[in-house]
Structure formats: structure tokens, C-alpha cells
Amino acid sequence: MSPDSQRSQNPRESQDSHKPGDVRTLASYLDAWADDGLASTIRAVAGACAEIAGLVRGGALAGVLGETGGVNVQGERVQHLDDLSNDLLLKALERTGSCAGYASEEMEFAATFGEGAYLVTSDPLDGSSNIDVNVSIGTIFGVYPAGPAGFLAPGRTQAAAGYAVYGPSTMFVITNGTTVDGFTLGPESPEIPGAGDFLLTHPGIRCPQSGSTYSINEGYHDRWPPGVRAWNDYIKRQDLADGPAMSLRYVGSMVSDAHRTLLKGGIYLYPEDSTAPNGKLRLGYECNPLALVFETAGGAATDGRRAILDIVPSELHQRTPVAIGSRDNVALYGAFHSGERE
Ligand code: AHM
Ligand code: MG
């Protein structure tokens, strides 16, 4: 695809900035949802995210940096902010009456609250290795119906999903499976309206069909299977038939890398490798929510063989390889991964 045809297909040209006078709060946006239980579940998640944003902004002054000394069920060292974020989400959801249970990266077992039509999964603080160095991090969440499959339902059953990204500004991006909308948290500034509220700044987000940025931990190159290495070698060539030569961006916070990919196009990957045969990222609370966001926005998400949203989980903390992004970039990766292209 030529750069010119990519430009003409880029649907984000008018979506990058908020228009004055077009201010809608997340609260009023959710009030319009027909399903009160779903809306109140999202309100609780967003409220917790606003509190987490305050802690992140305070950094060392808020006393939230550093490790607790504990190790989570994944065998990863727990940061104070991991724990604090998990507690804020757990307590907010417990109060709703609409949420029957909560499962998280930080808890070995799900918490159950009794009645309620929804279950929430979350990575409360994604990108933990970036907390202490003032680099963007986030929260990821998925909302599943409280059905017989419980937390082991495929991602396609999610009623809603999204993430918060704590960057230079805090954004809350949500999908109900029909649209993807982005809100920006109003800062405490006399110059800017909406302090403390999430305001709709990115309505109807669409992921470009193709993009020129790839995002992967290339330090693991020698551990990847041949198909992943072949794809990686190919996209770094300067004479690509499938589009312009690609640039590398890797924050190391999936939520931040995915957010950039959603808005600008391209691909983010965490594939399987010789030390992690199922990759690193977790299906139920990292990959599924982002997969629903990307598919709804016109993008795609695969484990290399099948759509992430079609995987039927067998364990709460199940890992999966993942590649998410623009439809064309994900299809190209799939072709190399399967060996169809070499
Ligand atoms: P976390 O949920 O403990 O923060 O781990 C997930 C993170 C992703 O956000 C990120 O893309 C990846 O781990 C980075 O891992 P690596 O350092 O292996 O590249
Ligand atoms: Mg994570």
C-alpha cells in the first residue's frame, strides 16, 4: 500500500484534538446507557482509575514508589502501586451491587461479592517496571456477564472493556462492543475546564487500517520461533511491498504501546518464545480487553493462529501470545507466523 493511499484511509485525521464546546462527561455518557448495571460497573472502574491517576501523579511525594517485597501469583515482584491500585478497584466494585466478582493479576483467586450481573477482570497497574521511572503506565479492565462460565468465558462475551493510561494526561478508553470512545481526565488547572472529570475528547476512535510503527521487545529476537523472526526481519527491510519501512517504539507498558497503536496504527506484539511458550501476557485481563477495543475500532488481535477473542480459557491467569493492531499489519504477521510467507 502506498503512503498516499494510507493517508487517505487514516480515519483519525479529525480525532486528535478536542473541539471547544464539545464537552461531555463520562458520567453523562454512561447515564445514556440502557443497562444501568453495566454503567454503574464502569463508573466504579473509572472512579478507581481517577484515584490511581492521583497517586501516579504524586509519585515519590505520594509515597507510592518501590516494591512491597512480595511476589504475586505470576511470580512477579509486587510494587506498592500494584497493590494500591488493586485495592481501589476491588473496593469500588464491591460497593456497586452490579458487580458479582473481581479477578485481577494481583490476586491468586477471584473475589466474589454475591449478586450482580457482571464480573470484572483487571490488570490494575500495567507496565509495573515503569512505575519508578516516571514512564506511562495504565489500568486494563474487561467486563464479562456473570454467566455459567464465570471468569473463564471467551473474550468475545465481554459486555464492555477498556483501559486507563496514566501518561502526560490521563485517558480512559472504553468500548461497549459498538464504539470506542476516549475521555481525558480534566487536570487541576484554572485554564482548563473539567478538573477531576473524564471528558469525552476522542469520540468514535478508529484504528487505521495500516500503520508504520511496530512494538516488540526485540531483545528477545533469538528466543522467537522462526515465523516471528522472519516477520521481524521482513518489516525492517526498506523496500517493503506491504507498506513503508517501519519504525520501532517500545515503552514496555502494554497499555501505552497499545494506545499509541490504536490511535496511530501499526502493531504491538508479545509473542511466544523459547523461555515463555505461551508468551507473558494474560488472556482474561490484559489481552481480551484490548482485543475487544481493537476489533471494535476496526483493528485486529491474534495469538498468531486465531483471534484472541475466540480463545476459550481454561485458567484464570492463562497466558497467551498476542499481536494487536491495524488489520493489515496483524494479517501480515499472521502470514509469517503460520509460514505462509517466509
Ligand atoms: P505487568 O502487568 O506486570 O506490568 O507486565 C506486563 C508488561 C506489559 O505491559 C509490557 O508490554 C510487558 O510486560 C513488558 O515485558 P518485557 O519487559 O518482557 O518486554
Ligand atoms: Mg500487565
Side-chain angles (χ1 to χ4, degrees):
M1 185 184 298
S2 74
D4 277 351
S5 65
Q6 272 190 3
R7 254 196 299 282
S8 63
Q9 288 188 15
N10 185 343
R12 282 215 46 80
E13 277 171 0
S14 60
Q15 295 175 31
D16 285 336
S17 61
H18 161 69
K19 294 187 194 70
D22 180 22
V23 181
R24 187 171 184 199
T25 63
L26 178 64
S28 84
Y29 170 92
L30 292 172
D31 284 347
W33 283 22
D35 185 332
D36 286 344
L38 188 56
S40 88
T41 302
I42 303 298
R43 250 181 240 112
V45 173
C49 289
E51 290 190 64
I52 297 167
L55 296 175
V56 171
R57 190 123 351 271
L61 298 174
V64 299
L65 305 188
E67 295 179 358
T68 63
V71 171
N72 70 12
V73 60
Q74 331 280 337
E76 300 158 346
R77 295 144 84 106
V78 177
Q79 309 278 321
H80 286 295
L81 203 54
D82 288 323
D83 261 0
L84 291 166
S85 305
N86 188 54
D87 283 355
L88 285 167
L89 282 158
L90 177 69
K91 290 191 178 113
L93 288 164
E94 193 171 17
R95 287 194 292 267
T96 58
S98 55
C99 178
Y102 169 70
S104 139
E105 178 175 325
E106 301 307 327
M107 306 187 321
E108 185 170 3
F109 303 107
T112 48
F113 306 139
E115 299 301 308
Y118 294 103
L119 301 171
V120 172
T121 62
S122 178
D123 178 356
L125 209 290
D126 177 61
S128 303
S129 68
N130 285 314
I131 295 172
D132 288 355
V133 292
N134 202 12
V135 172
S136 297
I137 47 184
T139 296
I140 309 173
F141 66 94
V143 185
Y144 296 75
F151 289 99
L152 300 184
R156 213 170 278 293
T157 66
Q158 290 170 108
Y163 59 84
V165 56
Y166 313 111
S169 61
T170 293
M171 281 195 68
F172 188 78
V173 173
I174 180 159
T175 182
N176 57 5
T178 304
T179 62
V180 179
D181 296 304
F183 297 78
T184 302
L185 186 62
E188 300 291 337
S189 161
E191 308 293 327
I192 302 173
D197 279 335
F198 281 110
L199 302 177
L200 181 60
T201 48
H202 293 61
I205 294 172
R206 303 293 297 165
C207 181
Q209 183 169 334
S210 175
S212 58
T213 302
Y214 74 103
S215 189
I216 189 168
N217 190 334
E218 224 162 59
Y220 303 155
H221 179 276
D222 288 359
R223 303 186 205 161
W224 295 334
V228 180
R229 271 186 272 156
W231 163 84
N232 184 248
D233 294 343
Y234 177 77
I235 53 110
K236 289 193 286 192
R237 283 169 41 184
Q238 298 299 304
D239 58 343
L240 296 190
D242 297 280
M246 299 194 79
S247 286
L248 169 63
R249 295 281 185 280
Y250 191 71
V251 177
S253 296
M254 182 197 203
V255 72
S256 309
D257 284 315
H259 183 64
R260 182 197 56 252
T261 304
L262 181 69
L263 299 189
K264 300 291 186 189
I267 187 166
Y268 164 86
L269 313 91
Y270 207 113
E272 65 276 32
D273 66 39
S274 56
T275 61
N278 295 314
K280 174 182 182 185
L281 300 173
R282 279 59 49 132
L283 176 64
Y285 44 82
E286 291 179 314
C287 299
N288 274 340
L290 290 173
L292 190 66
V293 167
F294 273 80
E295 280 209 11
T296 307
T302 179
D303 69 354
R305 298 176 183 84
R306 59 202 158 152
I308 290 287
L309 293 177
D310 291 333
I311 300 173
V312 180
S314 52
E315 292 171 35
L316 188 57
H317 297 286
Q318 182 167 327
R319 296 177 196 265
T320 180
V322 66
I324 53 176
S326 296
R327 196 167 276 270
D328 289 353
N329 297 79
V330 173
L332 181 70
Y333 172 73
F336 276 96
H337 189 275
S338 67
E340 181 193 319
R341 289 190 62 169
E342 299 183 334

